[in-house]
Amino acid sequence: MLDRFNRNINYLRISVTDRCNLRCRYCMPEEGVTLLRHEDILTFDEIAAFTREAVMMGITKVRITGGEPLLRKDFSLLYERIKRKGILVTVFTNATLVDGPIADLLEDLPPQLVEVSLYGASEAVYESVTGIPGSYRRCLAGVDALLQRGVAVGLKTVI
């Protein structure tokens, strides 16, 4: 009877931080958000150990997300460690922090997909949501950097 509830789980979502460089109205309300204490966020070693265990349990796909995962100083190392395990990786980002070294890493070790949040089709709308001047242009520059390197990008939008 319980066999019908046994499922093969092969997907893991890892939120590597709860911090973000944007202040979106729907996510970071004016009254503020309670963020985890820095010491409560998983360390590189904890994520590496957790991922190693997950792979041993049959995980084949990982989504790295946050907050904004590119805020982690060790993002590149984390990404490379997970990717080199042969896992299909998706990165969920706002793309405003995609620079040359990040785009190069993703070109060299291609993810299955980079999912990018697009908060509006114009600078005015986008930045009315994010609350950060210049974020629209940084997002588009990040997307362009990825596309120029042949990295698979999917755009997600908030309605």
Side-chain angles (χ1 to χ4, degrees), residues 69-87:
L70 299 182
L71 279 174
R72 279 192 70 123
K73 291 182 172 107
D74 60 0
F75 171 82
S76 293
L77 192 55
L78 277 170
Y79 176 82
E80 184 176 349
R81 174 75 58 96
I82 293 168
K83 184 71 177 148
R84 291 203 187 275
K85 290 187 180 309
I87 295 172

Side-chain angles (χ1 to χ4, degrees), residues 81-99:
R81 174 75 58 96
I82 293 168
K83 184 71 177 148
R84 291 203 187 275
K85 290 187 180 309
I87 295 172
L88 294 173
V89 179
T90 297
V91 178
F92 190 13
T93 178
N94 62 40
T96 61
L97 300 176
V98 172
D99 57 11

Side-chain angles (χ1 to χ4, degrees), residues 3 8 10 14 20 22 30 33 45 52 63 80 86-87 97 99 104 106 109 114-115 124-125 129 131 137 155:
D3 283 352
N8 181 17
N10 67 350
I14 303 174
C20 186
L22 303 179
E30 287 182 25
V33 162
D45 290 335
R52 192 170 42 253
R63 174 187 284 168
E80 184 176 349
I87 295 172
L97 300 176
D99 57 11
D104 290 343
L106 298 176
L109 291 169
V114 176
E115 297 176 322
V125 171
V129 173
R137 289 177 192 217
L155 300 178

Side-chain angles (χ1 to χ4, degrees), residues 20-26 68 93-97 116-143 155-158:
C20 186
N21 58 319
L22 303 179
R23 293 294 170 258
C24 298
R25 291 187 289 167
Y26 66 91
E68 173 49 53
T93 178
N94 62 40
T96 61
L97 300 176
V116 177
S117 297
L118 189 60
Y119 302 108
S122 70
E123 186 171 16
V125 171
Y126 185 100
E127 293 179 5
S128 74
V129 173
T130 66
I132 304 294
S135 57
Y136 178 74
R137 289 177 192 217
R138 285 194 307 274
C139 173
L140 295 183
V143 169
L155 300 178
K156 293 181 153 194
T157 190
V158 178

